[in-house]
Amino acid sequence: MFHEAHPDAGPVEARLAQVRAEIAGTGTYWHTREELAYGARVALRDSGWCTNVLPWRRLTIRDLRGVRDARAVASECVEHLRIAGGGGQIRPLVTVFAPDVPGAPGPCVWNEQLICYAGYRDGSGRVLGDGRYVALTETVRRLGWQPLAQPTAFDVLPLVVETAHEGPRLFRVPGDVVRQVPLTHPELPWFARLGLRWHTVPVVSHMKLVIGGVTYPAAPFNRWFVGSEIGSRSLADEAAYGLAREVAERLGLDTSTERTLWRDRATVEINRAVLHSFDAAQVTITDHYAEAMHRLAWLRSRRPGLRRPAFRLDPQSAQRSRFGGPPRFGVPPQRPEELTEPSGRLVLLTSRRAGAGRAS
């Protein structure tokens, strides 16, 4: 695919021979930077996560295949958030960490997104925060994370990064990379008093990137939010924040039966608040109608093929992102550590070390 799209790269036969020789000698092969970038862009485009208005050919690919240690992975995830935030103009970005190779599996991130809100269940069964992450919150607490003395509905969970040689480790997400938009409504003054907010950069972090048979288990990627992802799937949904009933009651709707469609009407107003607030804060966001048209266009143009580059979610990764397990490598958990700032020299040294290992 890469050679078809880039005739200047020369005939594919010579590259295939090189790849086969590498596989025969090491059990795997190393993508060129150009192949990696092309594969990641095609994977994001074909995944359906990338809208047609997004200039996928200009996506920024951060090649960090030499990074395997948990602390370095967490630091570069923070750097991803910092770069992608762009002062409100969300910048689509993919960060690719070390691949799985024979005898040395790559790292993985448990969190569904780099920024996830905690969910706390009290003795009566009521949930404060995001109900989708109650089990994950309990797991990271067992691993040593301590929430604030007075938990809130929007406490950011630590990153859980797992490596084969370290096990799962926790890292705090610094507050300066967690930009959040307070939610208000264009016509309902009381909506602001609900105290709702949401983070601005949706970095999907629990899916693996597969390109040409090579698997990168940690390859966080982002585009920008669709408003309904926040309003419908997160704030209104009973499995997450379950705010539809409270909003409906404040609107004076009849909630005694579902046939009044109070839930739909409340959800519409929540979605309106999300779009209004992000627009007012000058943060990139799209609505679900525009997204639907882009997805349909993508489906019409999609070419079938199981071996095309793709972001894929396996059942265990999905389970880790919600329930905090099972560990990928079965290594006993470590105590939490504070996240250090990323070091350009660290990345350079690890990249050189990986290159030296391949050369040997």
Side-chain angles (χ1 to χ4, degrees):
M1 288 177 61
F2 172 76
H3 280 259
E4 286 177 359
H6 298 84
D8 56 328
V12 69
E13 288 76 17
R15 176 59 178 150
L16 288 176
Q18 182 183 14
V19 167
R20 292 189 183 104
E22 231 180 304
I23 293 172
T26 67
T28 186
Y29 70 103
W30 196 257
H31 290 126
T32 66
R33 286 181 176 271
E34 294 77 17
E35 290 167 352
L36 178 71
Y38 181 78
R41 288 167 181 155
V42 170
L44 187 54
R45 180 196 66 188
D46 287 1
S47 69
W49 287 91
C50 176
T51 66
N52 283 11
V53 296
L54 192 154
W56 66 274
R57 286 187 175 84
R58 288 177 286 166
L59 288 178
T60 300
I61 312 298
R62 301 178 70 223
D63 181 359
L64 298 179
R65 288 175 288 175
V67 177
R68 287 186 174 274
D69 292 341
R71 182 182 293 275
V73 170
S75 296
E76 292 302 331
C77 284
V78 169
E79 187 65 12
H80 182 124
L81 285 166
R82 186 171 285 113
I83 296 170
Q89 301 302 308
I90 307 303
R91 180 181 179 183
L93 190 65
V94 179
T95 297
V96 183
F97 293 109
D100 286 339
V101 298
C108 70
V109 179
W110 287 18
N111 307 60
E112 190 168 15
Q113 294 189 20
L114 293 184
I115 299 176
C116 292
Y117 294 121
Y120 310 99
R121 192 184 304 278
D122 62 21
S124 65
R126 297 183 61 182
V127 174
L128 172 67
D130 197 329
R132 295 171 295 187
Y133 303 120
V134 169
L136 179 61
T137 302
E138 293 172 351
T139 295
V140 297
R141 293 182 74 170
R142 287 195 298 269
L143 291 175
W145 179 66
Q146 294 296 324
L148 299 173
Q150 293 294 326
T152 74
F154 298 97
D155 293 344
V156 177
L157 285 170
L159 290 177
V160 186
V161 181
E162 184 183 2
T163 65
H165 58 288
E166 299 166 291
R169 297 178 66 182
L170 305 185
F171 298 90
R172 179 179 58 86
V173 180
D176 67 299
V177 298
V178 187
R179 182 181 179 186
Q180 301 178 90
V181 174
L183 301 186
T184 61
H185 193 282
E187 297 165 4
L188 305 171
W190 53 261
F191 198 96
R193 295 194 289 273
L194 295 175
L196 305 178
R197 59 182 182 268
W198 207 259
H199 61 93
T200 60
V201 188
V203 186
V204 179
S205 49
H206 69 325
M207 299 182 75
K208 61 185 179 182
L209 172 61
V210 181
I211 303 174
V214 178
T215 296
Y216 301 92
F221 66 91
N222 75 278
R223 73 293 189 234
W224 42 74
F225 268 119
V226 179
S228 57
E229 290 181 90
I230 303 171
S232 300
R233 293 177 56 193
S234 298
L235 295 176
D237 196 319
E238 291 294 331
Y241 278 82
L243 291 169
R245 182 176 294 275
E246 180 178 356
V247 171
E249 290 172 348
R250 287 177 178 264
L251 289 169
L253 304 179
D254 177 7
T255 60
S256 63
T257 173
E258 297 288 349
R259 288 183 68 84
T260 65
L261 301 184
W262 60 267
R263 196 182 302 275
D264 305 67
R265 294 168 66 184
T267 301
V268 166
E269 298 306 328
I270 296 173
N271 282 322
R272 289 185 65 200
V274 169
L275 293 173
H276 166 77
S277 302
F278 271 63
D279 287 345
Q282 298 184 325
V283 175
T284 310
I285 195 168
T286 186
D287 62 83
H288 56 286
Y289 288 105
E291 182 70 7
M293 297 303 295
H294 300 146
R295 294 289 179 92
L296 285 172
W298 165 72
L299 286 169
R300 293 189 189 104
S301 64
R302 187 182 184 190
R303 292 187 297 171
L306 294 177
R307 296 186 180 181
R308 295 169 65 84
F311 283 98
R312 296 174 184 162
L313 180 62
D314 59 62
Q316 286 196 338
S317 295
Q319 197 170 352
R320 279 192 292 271
S321 70
R322 291 295 176 90
F323 304 108
R328 186 179 184 216
F329 305 111
V331 179
Q334 305 294 313
R335 298 295 297 172
E337 294 193 23
E338 289 299 305
L339 179 62
T340 56
E341 290 301 310
S343 166
R345 180 167 175 76
L346 172 65
V347 174
L348 179 62
L349 288 174
T350 52
S351 298
R352 285 177 177 172
R353 189 177 300 120
R358 292 194 306 277
S360 63

